[in-house]
Amino acid sequence: QVQLVGSGGRLVQAGGSLRLSCLASGRTFSSYVMGWFRQAPGKEREFVATINRNGGNTYYADVVKGRFTISRDNAKNTVALQMSSLQPEDTAVYYCAARMTGSFSTFESAYNYWGQGTQVTVSS
């Protein structure tokens, strides 16, 4: 079982930037595809970004493309989400997730392990 601990969420003003981090347990972090999802109040959880095992390929939801950057440091067992030009619509609980098998994916069901979530609130 893999444990993921997300952190970094806080209140930020519209137009600001924020970096979220996720620390994974274990010794096999480099074998996981990693992703970020978010869930806004009253909405279902949605895909944000994903990154492949070696960090050489990424994919983003259209609504965050150009504003968010996903990255990973396999030596430190971490994945990060750098967010800029934040808008109130970005307010959500953000979850990191790990996929054990297969290629990176936009589907929630493809991921095996989930962090506890970290709250990002963007004020207008």
Side-chain angles (χ1 to χ4, degrees):
Q1 198 81 8
V2 176
Q3 292 190 15
L4 304 173
V5 181
S7 63
R10 62 176 177 86
L11 175 66
V12 64
Q13 296 182 89
S17 298
L18 190 63
R19 180 180 181 273
L20 306 181
S21 295
C22 179
L23 175 65
S25 66
R27 302 172 59 252
T28 57
F29 179 73
S30 63
S31 69
Y32 314 146
V33 168
M34 298 298 296
W36 285 97
F37 292 76
R38 68 186 184 184
Q39 187 167 22
K43 297 184 179 180
E44 296 185 357
R45 193 174 301 183
E46 66 176 350
F47 167 76
V48 175
T50 186
I51 188 167
N52 71 350
R53 292 172 176 85
N54 63 14
N57 202 4
T58 59
Y59 186 78
Y60 300 90
D62 288 342
V63 293
V64 307
K65 194 174 300 181
R67 299 188 298 120
F68 291 12
T69 301
I70 187 172
S71 62
R72 67 190 298 160
D73 187 338
N74 287 345
K76 297 181 178 179
N77 279 25
T78 58
V79 61
L81 186 69
Q82 180 65 49
M83 305 181 291
S84 63
S85 300
L86 285 164
Q87 300 301 131
E89 292 74 26
D90 297 314
T91 295
V93 176
Y94 284 71
Y95 299 88
C96 61
R99 175 170 163 83
M100 299 296 290
T101 61
S103 300
F104 65 15
S105 177
T106 64
F107 297 105
E108 178 180 351
S109 61
Y111 291 80
N112 304 101
Y113 305 105
W114 293 83
Q116 83 285 2
T118 184
Q119 176 72 49
V120 173
T121 303
V122 184
S123 62
S124 60

